[in-house]
C-alpha cells in the first residue's frame, strides 16, 4: 500500500509541552489503482495537530490519530474505567471493591479514561494485520442462541493513545455510522456534535458497551493489556450460559523483535470447573512485534455456565535466536451485570 500507519515512536509531534500546531499529512488515496502503479507519493493536508490534553478528557466529536496503530478516528463518548496496573503496584493492605488480587500481590484500581471511537474505514485495510477492526460484538437477539453481531470500525482507545487534530472537512471520517451518530455544527468546538441517535444507541446498549475494568502487566518488556466485557446470558439445554468478550493488546516495549507462538489459558468458573486451553498463536495468527510495528490487538470470546469466573495465563514468545520466554496475562474477573437486560437486537433505525 501507498501509506502504512507510522510506528508509535513517530507519532508524538507535539511532545509533552504541546508546542505549536503541526499539519497532519497523509498521501491522497485517489492515486491508488489496481491496474496502475501509484502516481507518486504527494502528501495532502487532512488536518492540523492539536496539543494533547494533559488533564481532563476529550469530548464527543474530537478527531484524533491513534498513536500506536496510526488510524484516523473520532471520539463518540468517554468511559471511566478502573485500571489495574501491576507494573506500578504498591502494597495494599485494605481490601475493597477496587482491589484486584494477584497471588500475594494486590493492585489498587485507578480511574482512567477510555473512549468509544469510530475508525476511518479508509484506514482499516492498513491496520488489519495489527488490530481487529470489529472490537465490539453483541449476542444478537434472535432465536439462534449462537448468533453474534459485530459492529465494524468501533474501538476502545486509552486517553494517552489519542493524538488530537482538527479538520475543516465536514465529513472527515468515512464510516457508515458517522452521519447517523454525529452532525456538523461550526459554532461548536469540536464542530461535531452527537445526534439523538447516538445518545439513544448509547443508552440502549450501555450494559454491553461499557468498559469497566482494564488489567495490565509487563513481562520481559512485553506489556499485556486485557479489557473484559460482559455480553449477556443465554438459555441453552435447560441451563444458563454467560458470555464475555475480551480485548487483548500486546505491546513490545523493547527494540528486539519477538514473535508470539503459543497461548496458555486457565479459565475458572464459579461453578467449580477449571479449564485449560493451549494453542498456537492467537486468532489464527502468530504476530511479530518489532520496533516498527510494536503492537498487536485482538478480541475473543468465552462462555461459562456460571455468572462469574476468572481467567489468567501466559503467552509464549520466541526471540530471533530461537529461545522462548513466557509473558504473563494478568488475571481478570468475568462478572455478569447485576441488572440483566435483554441483549441488543443490533442496529436498526
Amino acid at each position: 500500500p501507498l501509506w502504512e500507519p507510522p510506528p508509535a515512536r513517530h507519532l508524538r509531534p507535539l511532545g509533552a509541552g504541546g508546542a505549536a500546531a503541526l499539519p497532519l499529512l497523509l498521501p491522497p488515496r485517489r492515486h491508488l489503482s489496481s491496474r496502475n502503479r501509484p502516481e507518486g507519493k504527494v502528501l495532502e493536508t487532512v488536518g492540523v495537530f492539536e496539543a494533547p490534553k494533559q488533564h481532563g478528557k476529550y469530548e464527543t466529536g474530537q478527531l484524533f490519530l491513534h498513536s500506536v496503530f496510526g488510524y484516523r478516528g473520532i471520539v463518540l463518548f468517554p468511559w471511566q474505567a478502573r485500571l489495574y496496573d501491576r507494573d506500578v503496584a504498591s502494597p495494599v493492605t485494605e481490601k475493597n471493591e477496587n482491589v484486584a488480587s494477584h497471588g500475594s500481590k494486590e493492585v489498587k484500581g485507578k480511574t482512567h479514561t477510555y473512549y468509544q471511537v469510530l475508525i476511518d474505514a479508509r484506514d482499516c485495510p492498513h491496520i488489519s494485520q495489527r488490530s481487529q477492526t470489529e472490537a465490539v460484538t453483541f449476542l444478537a437477539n434472535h432465536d439462534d442462541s449462537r448468533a453474534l453481531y459485530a459492529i465494524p470500525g468501533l474501538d476502545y482507545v486509552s486517553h494517552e493513545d489519542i493524538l488530537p487534530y482538527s479538520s475543516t472537512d465536514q465529513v472527515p471520517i468515512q464510516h457508515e455510522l458517522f452521519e447517523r451518530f454525529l452532525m456538523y455544527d461550526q459554532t461548536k468546538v469540536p464542530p461535531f456534535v452527537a445526534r439523538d441517535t447516538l445518545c439513544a444507541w448509547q443508552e440502549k446498549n450501555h450494559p454491553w458497551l461499557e468498559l469497566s475494568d482494564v488489567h495490565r502487566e509487563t513481562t520481559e518488556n512485553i506489556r499485556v493489556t486485557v479489557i473484559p466485557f460482559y455480553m449477556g446470558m443465554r438459555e441453552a439445554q435447560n441451563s444458563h450460559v454467560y458470555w464475555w468478550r475480551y480485548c487483548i493488546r500486546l505491546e513490545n516495549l523493547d527494540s528486539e523483535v519477538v514473535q508470539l507462538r503459543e497461548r496458555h489459558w486457565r479459565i475458572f468458573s464459579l461453578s467449580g470447573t477449571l479449564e485449560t486451553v493451549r494453542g498456537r498463536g492467537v486468532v489464527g495468527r502468530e504476530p511479530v512485534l518489532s520496533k516498527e510495528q510494536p503492537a498487536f490487538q485482538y478480541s475473543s470470546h468465552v462462555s461459562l455456565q456460571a455468572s462469574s469466573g476468572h481467567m489468567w495465563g501466559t503467552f509464549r514468545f520466541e526471540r530471533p535466536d530461537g529461545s522462548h520466554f513466557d509473558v504473563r496475562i494478568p488475571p481478570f474477573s468475568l462478572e455478569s451485570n447485576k441488572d440483566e437486560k435483554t441483549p441488543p437486537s443490533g442496529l436498526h433505525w
Side-chain angles (χ1 to χ4, degrees):
L2 180 60
W3 173 71
E4 290 288 354
R9 288 152 184 79
H10 295 169
L11 283 176
R12 299 215 177 269
L14 300 179
L22 297 174
L24 169 58
L25 301 170
L26 294 178
R29 284 175 174 72
R30 63 175 177 269
H31 292 310
L32 289 178
S33 171
S34 59
R35 291 175 296 178
N36 303 314
R37 63 180 181 84
E39 301 173 13
K41 297 183 178 181
V42 180
L43 298 178
E44 66 177 10
T45 303
V46 298
V48 177
F49 275 119
E50 300 171 347
K53 284 182 181 289
Q54 302 301 315
H55 306 286
K57 63 180 185 293
Y58 298 104
E59 302 297 330
T60 296
Q62 176 65 60
L63 294 167
F64 71 93
L65 196 67
H66 195 294
S67 69
V68 174
F69 296 112
Y71 64 73
R72 289 166 289 177
I74 192 166
V75 170
L76 294 182
F77 41 80
W79 292 115
Q80 292 302 113
R82 289 190 303 272
L83 172 62
Y84 297 99
D85 192 342
R86 290 172 171 82
D87 300 333
V88 295
S90 58
V92 178
T93 55
E94 71 275 13
K95 290 182 180 290
N96 57 51
E97 64 177 1
N98 284 352
V99 174
S101 179
H102 178 21
S104 60
K105 189 186 202 178
E106 290 180 333
V107 184
K108 189 170 184 178
K110 293 185 177 181
T111 301
H112 196 73
T113 303
Y114 275 73
Y115 300 94
Q116 186 88 67
V117 308
L118 290 181
I119 302 173
D120 194 310
R122 293 168 294 184
D123 296 341
C124 287
H126 300 282
I127 65 171
S128 62
Q129 295 301 312
R130 290 286 137 193
S131 178
Q132 290 176 328
T133 56
E134 295 184 354
V136 176
T137 50
F138 299 107
L139 286 173
N141 191 15
H142 301 299
D143 293 335
D144 180 4
S145 62
R146 291 192 164 191
L148 194 64
Y149 184 86
I151 302 176
L154 274 183
D155 199 5
Y156 292 87
V157 180
S158 177
H159 182 85
E160 65 268 19
D161 288 338
I162 297 281
L163 292 176
Y165 73 91
S166 60
S167 171
T168 57
D169 191 345
Q170 294 189 18
V171 187
I173 300 296
Q174 291 189 13
H175 190 288
E176 61 179 346
L177 298 178
F178 178 84
E179 292 185 271
R180 293 182 180 180
F181 281 171
L182 300 158
M183 58 183 171
Y184 182 77
D185 184 344
Q186 63 180 359
T187 67
K188 303 290 185 180
V189 179
F192 305 99
V193 296
R195 293 182 182 271
D196 291 342
T197 48
L198 175 59
C199 301
W201 180 74
Q202 179 186 5
E203 181 179 358
K204 176 182 178 183
N205 297 315
H206 185 282
W208 294 271
L209 291 174
E210 184 178 11
L211 178 157
S212 58
D213 293 346
V214 179
H215 302 266
R216 189 160 68 192
E217 184 169 5
T218 303
T219 309
E220 301 268 357
N221 287 314
I222 304 297
R223 184 164 62 195
V224 180
T225 304
V226 183
I227 308 176
F229 299 88
Y230 177 57
M231 294 176 61
M233 180 268 293
R234 287 288 196 215
E235 292 187 12
Q237 298 177 346
N238 299 321
S239 66
H240 291 168
V241 179
Y242 297 82
W243 284 86
W244 290 264
R245 72 181 184 275
Y246 54 91
C247 180
I248 291 187
R249 177 163 138 183
L250 304 166
E251 190 166 7
N252 186 0
L253 306 179
D254 198 4
S255 59
E256 182 180 51
V257 177
V258 296
Q259 184 170 12
L260 189 154
R261 290 301 193 185
E262 299 176 15
R263 68 187 185 279
H264 178 203
W265 283 107
R266 306 296 293 276
I267 306 168
F268 175 77
S269 170
L270 190 63
S271 61
T273 62
L274 178 61
E275 183 181 1
T276 299
V277 178
R278 288 184 179 272
R280 297 285 295 181
V282 290
V283 292
R285 300 182 188 176
E286 296 180 23
V288 174
L289 304 183
S290 64
K291 186 175 181 179
E292 293 71 32
Q293 298 286 358
F296 179 81
Q297 181 173 291
Y298 75 96
S299 293
S300 192
H301 304 87
V302 63
S303 65
L304 300 177
Q305 290 186 318
S307 59
S308 64
H310 286 82
M311 289 179 66
W312 68 97
T314 56
F315 292 120
R316 175 153 292 187
F317 279 84
E318 183 178 350
R319 299 186 180 94
D321 63 6
S323 62
H324 295 82
F325 63 99
D326 288 337
V327 171
R328 290 185 298 274
I329 304 170
F332 58 96
S333 60
L334 302 170
E335 300 290 345
S336 58
N337 291 359
K338 295 182 176 62
D339 53 340
E340 181 71 42
K341 299 178 182 178
T342 304
S345 55
L347 291 175
H348 301 292
W349 307 93

